[in-house]
Amino acid sequence: MYLADRTWPELGDYVAEESVAVVPLGSTEQHGPHLPLATDHLIAEALAREAADRGGYLCTPTVNVGVSPHHKQFHGTMWVDPPAFRDYVESFSRNLSYHGIDRIVYVNAHGGNMEHLREVGRRLREDEVAFAVEWMWDESIPTLVSDLFEHNGPHGGPKETAMIMHIAPELVREGKLEDARDGGLVELSDGDLFVHGARNYYDAIDNTENGVLGDQTDATPEKGERLFDAATDQLVNLLDWIDEKPFPDLMAKPHVDPQPGSRRS
């Protein structure tokens, strides 16, 4: 069920019985010469809506702009600062809780959002407002990703290329796959990442001139379909697990005994 397509009475019927929401989040940032800037939010929305439909859960509109200042040197990249992003996500998550949602899965397709979504989840759990977790699609199927691609690349690589080939093939610049590979960095470990134990980079351009990593020529629509189906299965399983848990079991455990101050006179 997609929230924005429903009327308010229809949503009332949902929250009277269910309390789970799926929130897709991504970015609008460079993904090399072969993929659109929409790559991350397209993947997040496609997975979230498919899993919500399969499982009978509520899916919200997508957050299209995330924490992406590390791609700022490339044309068109948009970003928000981390505090603004965290506060925004926390605010609309509390809004969802007002409508009866107490379990949220942030379907995330952008690495720059990860730590900030986890912090929002911690805040909401600490206040016992909601149990909110960050879910990253490729981290749910690491073995399959490794089996399909020798050089999968953490950004703009064949795994993201294959996914877009599957969900939005018209947006892939097929003639630019070799340029993406040859102008980027095929293996991240080949870059000059650390100097005397210190991380030696802040921005994507510090490692790759065209902004991407991995071997994009290894991507196919068939591989993208396998990735999409496998990740969707994992997401549905996660949603079912969260849905079945009693809410108190998802909250923080109580302080161990003896309770602080319990022996003071």
Side-chain angles (χ1 to χ4, degrees):
M1 176 187 292
Y2 183 58
L3 182 149
D5 288 344
R6 300 292 177 164
T7 66
W8 70 261
E10 292 168 344
L11 293 173
D13 291 338
Y14 178 83
V15 297
E17 300 176 0
E18 304 288 347
S19 62
V20 178
V22 186
V23 179
L25 305 98
S27 66
T28 299
E29 64 181 23
Q30 70 84 17
H31 275 78
H34 63 302
L35 291 179
L37 276 74
T39 291
D40 286 347
H41 70 250
L42 288 174
I43 293 173
E45 181 169 342
L47 288 167
R49 294 187 69 162
E50 179 67 19
D53 287 346
R54 287 191 197 178
Y57 297 109
L58 181 69
C59 180
T60 74
T62 305
V63 178
N64 290 341
V65 178
V67 182
S68 303
H70 49 295
H71 294 292
K72 64 181 179 288
Q73 290 89 348
F74 297 94
H75 299 301
T77 294
M78 301 180 69
W79 70 90
V80 292
D81 290 333
F85 178 79
R86 290 192 296 267
D87 288 347
Y88 177 73
V89 175
E90 181 178 354
S91 181
F92 74 63
S93 297
R94 290 179 182 273
N95 152 224
L96 289 173
S97 75
Y98 174 81
H99 291 299
I101 299 299
D102 62 13
R103 300 129 205 268
I104 302 169
V105 175
Y106 299 125
V107 176
N108 179 37
H110 172 52
N113 295 340
M114 293 170 66
E115 63 180 292
H116 308 295
L117 293 172
R118 290 169 182 167
E119 170 60 18
V120 170
R122 187 195 65 79
R123 294 180 190 176
L124 295 172
R125 185 174 188 244
E126 191 170 83
D127 290 348
E128 297 189 349
V129 170
F131 182 74
V133 291
E134 184 266 347
W135 178 86
M136 188 83 172
W137 72 269
D138 56 325
E139 290 194 347
S140 75
I141 49 171
T143 301
L144 179 59
V145 171
S146 296
D147 288 347
L148 290 178
F149 309 110
E150 182 178 358
H151 303 288
N152 59 55
H155 182 75
K159 62 188 177 186
E160 290 185 323
T161 304
M163 285 284 272
I164 298 299
M165 284 177 168
H166 173 59
I167 64 177
E170 71 281 2
L171 297 180
V172 180
R173 281 61 169 177
E174 297 269 3
K176 296 289 186 179
L177 296 181
E178 291 187 2
D179 291 345
R181 177 195 63 196
D182 297 341
L185 185 65
V186 172
E187 188 61 54
L188 183 60
S189 61
D190 291 338
D192 187 19
L193 305 183
F194 294 90
V195 175
H196 303 302
R199 177 169 159 163
N200 189 36
Y201 64 96
Y202 284 95
D203 300 329
I205 202 169
D206 296 334
N207 292 318
T208 164
E209 291 185 4
N210 69 2
V212 293
L213 305 132
D215 182 0
Q216 293 74 14
T217 65
D218 200 18
T220 67
E222 293 75 21
K223 290 181 180 180
E225 183 176 14
R226 289 185 62 187
L227 293 171
F228 185 85
D229 288 343
T232 301
D233 286 344
Q234 292 283 31
L235 180 53
V236 172
N237 290 338
L238 173 62
L239 289 165
D240 289 344
W241 178 84
I242 288 175
D243 185 42
E244 292 168 2
K245 286 280 188 181
F247 185 73
D249 291 354
L250 296 170
M251 294 295 97
K253 292 180 172 56
H255 195 290
V256 298
D257 288 329
Q259 293 299 302
S262 60
R263 297 175 185 168
R264 295 175 191 156
S265 58

